[in-house]
Amino acid sequence: AHLWLAGLDLDWQRFYENEIRRRVPLPTYPFERQRYWIDVQDWRQRPAFSTKGRGLLLAGERKADISRWFSVPTWKQALPLTTPSEQAESTRWLFFLDETGLSESLARRLAAKGCQVITVTQGTTFKCTGDGQYCLNPASLLDYQHLLQELSVQQLLPTRILHGWSVASTDMHLSTQQQLDLSFYSLLALAQALGEVKLDHCTLSILANGIYDVLGQEALIPEKATLLGPCMVIPQEYAALHCHLLEIALPALSAEPTLETLLAQLEKELAVEPMERVVALRGTRRWLPTFEEVQIPEPAPAGQGLREQGVYLITGGLGGIGLAMANYLATTVQARLVLTSRSGLPARDLWPDLLATEEEDSALSQTIAAIQHMESQGAQVLVIAADVAAEAQMQQVLEQTRANFGELNGVLHLAGVPGAGLIQLKTSDAAAAVLAPKVQGTLVLDRLLQAIPLDFFMLFSSITAVTGGPGQVDYSAANAFMDAYARGRHAPYPVVAIDWSEWEWNAWSAGLAGYDEATRTFFEKNRREFGISLKEGALVFQRLLDSAFAQVVVSTQDIQTLVALGATYNVHSELPWQQNTLQQTVTHPRPALKNSYIAPRNDDERKMAHIWEGLLAIDGIGIYDNFFDLGGNSLLGINLLIQVRKEFNLEQLPAYVLYEASCVEAMTQYLTQGKQSITVKALDERSSKRQSLIKKRIREKNA
């Protein structure tokens, strides 16, 4: 093994000659006879989770009666703001100006009151267009970094930001990608750029229209709803950033009195630090989102709303939840099922041999066995490999469905990709992969199902659409799109978005990879106590078949409490506990690594090594020891950068330093060679390298 690591080209065929091998699953970390896990108290008393953290996961007892798991979003009228619209002269605003002129008018009003206002417009590349005026490409992270770096150099970093790029008149017809660039991707890049500069506190106000149907007459643009992901998750991941959404109904620009009323309302909303995460303004009134519990009884007889031997398409049908829904349809009405997934299954004539050679508990064996069980109940099952976001592939799915069964009666859209990873370390490509099945996939199905008289179109959304969650910015955004699509879609068939809370079954636990072992255990315990079982999920689906609501939240706990606690939770509230615990914990010897130990050689390296040792609870870290090989992860990495920035008195420290300089020597060299003053040119040179290094690290992690 050491020869191979050193680069020797080994003849593996000769090495294993005449040997018979079978795959043996092994643990995912080496047993080195030295324990490195951090000992913590019982999780119920553990200070690792603040009161908010524990409350977020344990919001009341589990509701025993399934009929009480259902809530629907609604709106309540709020009292008008009484605070006078006065802005402190020290407030420095950064305005991302929309193209209707609304935010520009608002910027002029604030400037007239003595506020310093810097404006940014949409363009093709970053440039300064005048005194305090810039333009940039909404989809370019590099442009946002250029902007924040220039403002930092001039000591003009904002204390308040208004992002207005999701305001547009109804006659503006933008593509899906353009809408996403101006909403989700713009906010993602802005947050990443803000995370690289030194800010004590900054409030990001997002101005948008076309997201909510408060009065029931608004035209919705579901792509804009993806900005809800960043709006909720940014303050959950960044201690210095606070976000809120001001959702408006844009009046005609010629309607002077109405426009003046809206500007006065917005000015009043922006005069104070926001208390609510979402506020909708309609006319002269403020509206706040809420949830109302509705009791949905079990139908009698079972299967009501389904057709005997009906034809049902399930995207993502080979996952655990997809198979559970398929099994319910098979056993209840002997359905004819079309199950799609990106990978599909081997040809049927290979199944007997596969079942004979595969491990009995392997995913492939269990999937094949599940399909065979459905067929034994009288169902017919057609499995097709297809990407729901690829229109040509889904067109072929529908053609095969008609060719085999002659019709299609209902669609369950379950296809999805898990979101995992903090915003600061997330690439646009990784986010796009999470958005694709739920955003583009839903739109593909919408176009292809236009002329088909369905009984229902059910979208399996997630409670993260209304609560957010650290590491879930893209997944939360994708599900918020589904909800908005269901609310705004006026189809000839019922469209329902189901915002599921967590299931007991969860193949996406990789989303907890950024947390320590005790935290992962805490989350997994919560899933076991409050998660929805596959059997319960089928019962919920049965009750929602004839739902009169476009969006239904399914939660075993009190949804209002979960949403309220999610609005105040921040992952960095856990980091002080980690540091306090580590300081009280006996450190462990340096593990056996592939590189030799080399001690720090100067004061800067000794300071850096001391930070690493305290954070990782390891005594004697060498200057060439890799952060990730020592057990570091993304959450600890963000904490590391915070401590390094504080210890070395840096204005900024980009997150990609974790990948470019992942040992003590490289990180110290990065800082001491003056690279902390990152210039625009340096950013240009590093951008492509950063992307390739992160992708390489992801490939290594997957391998």
Side-chain angles (χ1 to χ4, degrees), residues 11-22:
D11 187 345
W12 296 108
Q13 188 172 0
R14 291 285 301 278
F15 189 80
Y16 291 117
E17 193 171 14
N18 299 325
E19 292 192 29
I20 299 175
R21 297 285 177 176
R22 289 192 65 188

Side-chain angles (χ1 to χ4, degrees), residues 61-71 293-299 501 530 532 536 539-540 543 553-558:
E61 297 298 323
R62 191 181 202 271
K63 298 177 182 179
D65 185 357
I66 291 181
S67 67
R68 297 190 56 237
W69 289 3
F70 306 96
S71 301
E293 183 179 303
V294 293
Q295 291 198 13
I296 301 180
E298 184 178 359
S501 59
F530 300 102
I532 299 170
E536 290 169 335
L539 296 175
V540 168
R543 293 170 188 243
V553 179
V554 178
S555 175
T556 63
Q557 299 170 269
D558 181 67

Side-chain angles (χ1 to χ4, degrees), residues 218-237:
E218 300 91 333
L220 303 189
I221 302 174
E223 292 87 345
K224 289 186 181 182
T226 57
L227 63 76
L228 291 168
C231 182
M232 289 184 289
V233 178
I234 286 173
Q236 292 175 337
E237 294 189 17

Side-chain angles (χ1 to χ4, degrees), residues 49 56-57 470 502 512 515 518-528 569:
F49 279 88
L56 178 63
L57 295 178
E502 193 160 25
L512 299 176
Y515 298 87
T519 303
R520 287 197 297 272
T521 301
F522 183 81
F523 276 96
E524 289 162 3
K525 182 179 181 67
N526 177 75
R527 185 167 65 242
R528 289 194 301 270
Y569 178 78

Side-chain angles (χ1 to χ4, degrees), residues 50-107:
S50 59
T51 301
K52 292 177 182 176
R54 288 194 298 273
L56 178 63
L57 295 178
L58 304 174
E61 297 298 323
R62 191 181 202 271
K63 298 177 182 179
D65 185 357
I66 291 181
S67 67
R68 297 190 56 237
W69 289 3
F70 306 96
S71 301
V72 295
T74 185
W75 295 86
K76 65 179 181 181
Q77 189 175 330
L79 294 173
L81 290 177
T82 57
T83 305
S85 54
E86 296 179 358
Q87 289 278 339
E89 292 187 8
S90 60
T91 304
R92 184 179 298 117
W93 280 93
L94 178 62
F95 264 67
F96 290 82
L97 301 179
D98 66 272
E99 296 188 350
T100 70
L102 179 68
S103 51
E104 186 176 9
S105 298
L106 191 56

Side-chain angles (χ1 to χ4, degrees), residues 88-134:
E89 292 187 8
S90 60
T91 304
R92 184 179 298 117
W93 280 93
L94 178 62
F95 264 67
F96 290 82
L97 301 179
D98 66 272
E99 296 188 350
T100 70
L102 179 68
S103 51
E104 186 176 9
S105 298
L106 191 56
R108 285 198 298 266
R109 293 169 75 111
L110 295 180
K113 291 183 178 291
C115 297
Q116 186 174 6
V117 181
I118 300 164
T119 61
V120 183
T121 56
Q122 302 168 34
T124 56
T125 187
F126 173 77
K127 61 182 176 181
C128 179
T129 58
D131 185 19
Q133 298 175 336
Y134 299 89

Side-chain angles (χ1 to χ4, degrees), residues 406-452:
E407 59 182 344
L408 178 61
N409 305 125
V411 176
L412 287 74
H413 182 22
L414 281 77
V417 172
L422 300 176
I423 291 173
Q424 200 62 31
L425 303 175
K426 192 175 292 290
T427 66
S428 58
D429 287 345
V434 175
L435 293 178
K438 290 181 177 283
V439 177
Q440 284 83 359
T442 300
L443 294 174
V444 164
L445 291 171
D446 177 80
R447 290 190 291 270
L448 296 179
L449 298 173
Q450 292 280 353
I452 301 177

Side-chain angles (χ1 to χ4, degrees), residues 76-191:
K76 65 179 181 181
Q77 189 175 330
L79 294 173
L81 290 177
T82 57
T83 305
S85 54
E86 296 179 358
Q87 289 278 339
E89 292 187 8
S90 60
T91 304
R92 184 179 298 117
W93 280 93
L94 178 62
F95 264 67
F96 290 82
L97 301 179
D98 66 272
E99 296 188 350
T100 70
L102 179 68
S103 51
E104 186 176 9
S105 298
L106 191 56
R108 285 198 298 266
R109 293 169 75 111
L110 295 180
K113 291 183 178 291
C115 297
Q116 186 174 6
V117 181
I118 300 164
T119 61
V120 183
T121 56
Q122 302 168 34
T124 56
T125 187
F126 173 77
K127 61 182 176 181
C128 179
T129 58
D131 185 19
Q133 298 175 336
Y134 299 89
C135 77
L136 56 79
N137 182 343
S140 171
L141 170 61
L142 194 60
D143 283 7
Y144 294 89
Q145 291 171 324
H146 288 167
L147 172 67
L148 270 297
Q149 171 62 24
E150 186 151 324
L151 295 180
S152 178
V153 170
Q154 299 178 39
Q155 297 186 335
L156 294 176
L157 287 174
T159 54
R160 298 289 299 269
I161 299 174
L162 181 83
H163 186 281
W165 283 355
S166 291
V167 174
S169 59
T170 54
D171 58 356
M172 290 183 64
H173 300 290
L174 301 178
S175 68
T176 295
Q177 190 58 50
Q178 288 172 319
Q179 294 282 10
L180 293 175
D181 286 344
L182 293 174
S183 53
F184 174 79
Y185 288 110
S186 175
L187 291 169
L188 183 71
L190 176 60

